Short mmCIF file of all heavy atoms in Angstrom, two decimals:
data_model
loop_
_atom_site.label_atom_id
_atom_site.label_comp_id
_atom_site.label_asym_id
_atom_site.label_seq_id
_atom_site.Cartn_x
_atom_site.Cartn_y
_atom_site.Cartn_z
N GLN A 111 0.86 -1.20 0.00
CA GLN A 111 -0.02 0.03 0.03
C GLN A 111 0.88 1.24 0.00
O GLN A 111 2.01 1.27 0.46
CB GLN A 111 -0.98 0.02 1.25
CG GLN A 111 -2.07 -1.03 1.26
CD GLN A 111 -2.95 -0.92 2.37
OE1 GLN A 111 -2.56 -0.81 3.56
NE2 GLN A 111 -4.31 -1.03 2.05
N ALA A 112 0.27 2.37 -0.49
CA ALA A 112 1.03 3.62 -0.53
C ALA A 112 1.43 3.95 0.96
O ALA A 112 0.75 3.77 1.85
CB ALA A 112 0.12 4.67 -0.96
N GLY A 113 2.62 4.44 0.95
CA GLY A 113 3.26 4.73 2.28
C GLY A 113 4.17 3.55 2.88
O GLY A 113 4.79 3.80 3.89
N GLY A 114 3.89 2.36 2.31
CA GLY A 114 4.61 1.29 2.82
C GLY A 114 5.95 1.13 2.27
O GLY A 114 6.54 1.99 1.63
N SER A 115 6.71 -0.01 2.64
CA SER A 115 8.06 -0.25 2.35
C SER A 115 8.40 -1.66 1.78
O SER A 115 7.59 -2.50 1.99
CB SER A 115 8.97 0.00 3.55
OG SER A 115 8.83 1.18 4.15
N LEU A 116 9.36 -1.67 0.86
CA LEU A 116 9.78 -2.89 0.39
C LEU A 116 11.32 -2.85 0.27
O LEU A 116 11.86 -1.72 0.13
CB LEU A 116 9.29 -3.12 -1.09
CG LEU A 116 7.80 -3.59 -1.22
CD1 LEU A 116 7.43 -3.58 -2.65
CD2 LEU A 116 7.60 -4.97 -0.61
N ARG A 117 11.99 -3.99 0.35
CA ARG A 117 13.40 -4.07 0.19
C ARG A 117 13.74 -5.14 -0.91
O ARG A 117 13.49 -6.21 -0.75
CB ARG A 117 14.03 -4.53 1.56
CG ARG A 117 15.55 -4.35 1.50
CD ARG A 117 16.27 -5.00 2.70
NE ARG A 117 17.67 -4.54 2.86
CZ ARG A 117 18.57 -5.26 3.29
NH1 ARG A 117 18.33 -6.58 3.69
NH2 ARG A 117 19.85 -4.73 3.47
N LEU A 118 14.36 -4.57 -1.93
CA LEU A 118 14.78 -5.42 -3.08
C LEU A 118 16.19 -5.90 -2.83
O LEU A 118 17.14 -5.16 -2.36
CB LEU A 118 14.74 -4.65 -4.39
CG LEU A 118 13.30 -4.05 -4.78
CD1 LEU A 118 13.42 -3.37 -6.09
CD2 LEU A 118 12.20 -5.02 -4.62
N SER A 119 16.44 -7.08 -3.24
CA SER A 119 17.85 -7.71 -3.17
C SER A 119 18.24 -8.15 -4.58
O SER A 119 17.35 -8.71 -5.30
CB SER A 119 17.91 -8.82 -2.12
OG SER A 119 17.60 -8.32 -0.82
N CYS A 120 19.50 -8.16 -4.78
CA CYS A 120 19.99 -8.74 -6.10
C CYS A 120 21.31 -9.17 -5.92
O CYS A 120 22.25 -8.50 -5.53
CB CYS A 120 20.15 -7.54 -7.11
SG CYS A 120 20.79 -8.01 -8.76
N ALA A 121 21.48 -10.57 -6.10
CA ALA A 121 22.76 -11.22 -5.81
C ALA A 121 23.37 -11.75 -7.19
O ALA A 121 22.67 -12.38 -7.94
CB ALA A 121 22.55 -12.39 -4.77
N ALA A 122 24.61 -11.41 -7.37
CA ALA A 122 25.36 -11.93 -8.52
C ALA A 122 25.98 -13.31 -8.16
O ALA A 122 26.58 -13.44 -7.15
CB ALA A 122 26.39 -10.96 -8.93
N SER A 123 25.90 -14.19 -9.11
CA SER A 123 26.48 -15.45 -8.83
C SER A 123 27.03 -15.96 -10.18
O SER A 123 26.66 -15.59 -11.29
CB SER A 123 25.56 -16.50 -8.33
OG SER A 123 24.45 -16.77 -9.19
N GLY A 124 27.96 -16.88 -10.14
CA GLY A 124 28.54 -17.51 -11.28
C GLY A 124 30.08 -17.33 -11.33
O GLY A 124 30.72 -17.25 -10.25
N SER A 125 30.69 -17.28 -12.50
CA SER A 125 32.11 -17.18 -12.59
C SER A 125 32.51 -15.64 -12.48
O SER A 125 32.67 -15.00 -13.53
CB SER A 125 32.55 -17.69 -14.02
OG SER A 125 32.24 -19.04 -14.05
N ILE A 126 32.58 -15.15 -11.31
CA ILE A 126 32.81 -13.74 -11.05
C ILE A 126 34.24 -13.57 -10.53
O ILE A 126 34.64 -14.18 -9.49
CB ILE A 126 31.82 -13.30 -10.00
CG1 ILE A 126 30.41 -13.39 -10.66
CG2 ILE A 126 32.12 -11.74 -9.73
CD1 ILE A 126 29.26 -13.05 -9.50
N PHE A 127 34.85 -12.65 -11.05
CA PHE A 127 36.20 -12.20 -10.54
C PHE A 127 36.00 -11.09 -9.67
O PHE A 127 36.54 -11.10 -8.47
CB PHE A 127 37.15 -11.80 -11.70
CG PHE A 127 38.46 -11.27 -11.23
CD1 PHE A 127 39.48 -12.12 -10.96
CD2 PHE A 127 38.78 -9.87 -11.19
CE1 PHE A 127 40.65 -11.69 -10.49
CE2 PHE A 127 39.96 -9.46 -10.90
CZ PHE A 127 40.98 -10.31 -10.43
N SER A 128 35.16 -10.11 -9.96
CA SER A 128 34.79 -9.02 -9.03
C SER A 128 33.64 -8.29 -9.64
O SER A 128 33.23 -8.53 -10.83
CB SER A 128 35.89 -7.96 -8.88
OG SER A 128 36.22 -7.34 -10.06
N VAL A 129 32.92 -7.54 -8.77
CA VAL A 129 31.83 -6.77 -9.21
C VAL A 129 32.03 -5.20 -8.91
O VAL A 129 32.41 -4.93 -7.79
CB VAL A 129 30.46 -7.07 -8.55
CG1 VAL A 129 29.35 -6.27 -9.00
CG2 VAL A 129 30.14 -8.60 -8.72
N ASN A 130 31.99 -4.45 -9.97
CA ASN A 130 32.23 -2.97 -9.73
C ASN A 130 30.83 -2.33 -9.51
O ASN A 130 30.19 -2.69 -8.51
CB ASN A 130 32.80 -2.52 -11.02
CG ASN A 130 33.70 -1.16 -10.76
OD1 ASN A 130 33.08 -0.17 -10.32
ND2 ASN A 130 34.91 -1.23 -11.27
N GLY A 131 30.47 -1.33 -10.24
CA GLY A 131 29.33 -0.55 -9.91
C GLY A 131 28.01 -1.34 -10.16
O GLY A 131 27.97 -2.33 -10.99
N MET A 132 27.02 -1.19 -9.28
CA MET A 132 25.80 -1.80 -9.24
C MET A 132 24.62 -0.75 -9.19
O MET A 132 24.91 0.38 -8.75
CB MET A 132 25.65 -2.80 -8.05
CG MET A 132 26.81 -3.82 -8.05
SD MET A 132 26.54 -5.05 -6.72
CE MET A 132 25.47 -6.17 -7.47
N GLY A 133 23.55 -1.17 -9.72
CA GLY A 133 22.52 -0.18 -9.68
C GLY A 133 21.06 -0.81 -9.85
O GLY A 133 20.98 -2.05 -10.17
N TRP A 134 20.07 0.02 -9.72
CA TRP A 134 18.66 -0.39 -9.88
C TRP A 134 18.01 0.54 -10.94
O TRP A 134 18.24 1.77 -10.93
CB TRP A 134 17.90 -0.35 -8.62
CG TRP A 134 18.30 -1.36 -7.61
CD1 TRP A 134 19.20 -1.21 -6.61
CD2 TRP A 134 17.72 -2.73 -7.53
NE1 TRP A 134 19.24 -2.40 -5.89
CE2 TRP A 134 18.32 -3.28 -6.46
CE3 TRP A 134 16.86 -3.31 -8.23
CZ2 TRP A 134 18.14 -4.63 -6.07
CZ3 TRP A 134 16.58 -4.70 -7.92
CH2 TRP A 134 17.25 -5.24 -6.79
N TYR A 135 17.30 -0.06 -11.89
CA TYR A 135 16.61 0.56 -12.95
C TYR A 135 15.10 0.17 -12.72
O TYR A 135 14.81 -0.80 -12.13
CB TYR A 135 17.01 0.16 -14.29
CG TYR A 135 18.45 0.66 -14.66
CD1 TYR A 135 19.57 0.16 -14.07
CD2 TYR A 135 18.59 1.68 -15.65
CE1 TYR A 135 20.84 0.65 -14.39
CE2 TYR A 135 19.89 2.18 -15.93
CZ TYR A 135 20.97 1.61 -15.31
OH TYR A 135 22.24 1.97 -15.67
N ARG A 136 14.18 0.90 -13.27
CA ARG A 136 12.86 0.61 -13.30
C ARG A 136 12.21 0.91 -14.72
O ARG A 136 12.73 1.81 -15.36
CB ARG A 136 12.00 1.25 -12.18
CG ARG A 136 11.93 2.77 -12.30
CD ARG A 136 11.28 3.33 -11.00
NE ARG A 136 11.12 4.63 -11.00
CZ ARG A 136 10.65 5.42 -10.02
NH1 ARG A 136 10.31 4.82 -8.88
NH2 ARG A 136 10.66 6.74 -9.98
N GLN A 137 11.29 0.20 -15.10
CA GLN A 137 10.59 0.41 -16.41
C GLN A 137 9.07 0.41 -16.20
O GLN A 137 8.49 -0.55 -15.68
CB GLN A 137 10.96 -0.85 -17.26
CG GLN A 137 10.50 -0.56 -18.75
CD GLN A 137 11.19 -1.53 -19.69
OE1 GLN A 137 11.58 -2.64 -19.27
NE2 GLN A 137 11.30 -1.19 -20.97
N PHE A 138 8.48 1.47 -16.62
CA PHE A 138 7.12 1.70 -16.61
C PHE A 138 6.52 1.13 -17.93
O PHE A 138 7.26 1.13 -18.96
CB PHE A 138 6.71 3.16 -16.47
CG PHE A 138 7.19 3.72 -15.20
CD1 PHE A 138 8.21 4.79 -15.35
CD2 PHE A 138 6.83 3.52 -13.97
CE1 PHE A 138 8.78 5.38 -14.26
CE2 PHE A 138 7.38 4.10 -12.84
CZ PHE A 138 8.36 5.06 -13.03
N PRO A 139 5.37 0.65 -17.98
CA PRO A 139 4.73 0.09 -19.21
C PRO A 139 4.80 1.11 -20.37
O PRO A 139 4.49 2.25 -20.21
CB PRO A 139 3.31 -0.20 -18.82
CG PRO A 139 3.30 -0.44 -17.30
CD PRO A 139 4.35 0.46 -16.87
#
């Protein structure tokens, strides 16, 4: 509901040497 909260998580896995910049994008219809 409006006024509420959510926490998004995003985990990288696989053949990773390192992870540099990370970010969140959103797409409206």
Side-chain angles (χ1 to χ4, degrees):
Q111 291 185 316
S115 299
L116 286 173
R117 191 190 194 211
L118 306 183
S119 298
C120 174
S123 63
S125 300
I126 301 171
F127 178 77
S128 67
V129 178
N130 203 302
M132 304 185 82
W134 290 94
Y135 292 71
R136 64 186 177 187
Q137 187 167 25
F138 305 110

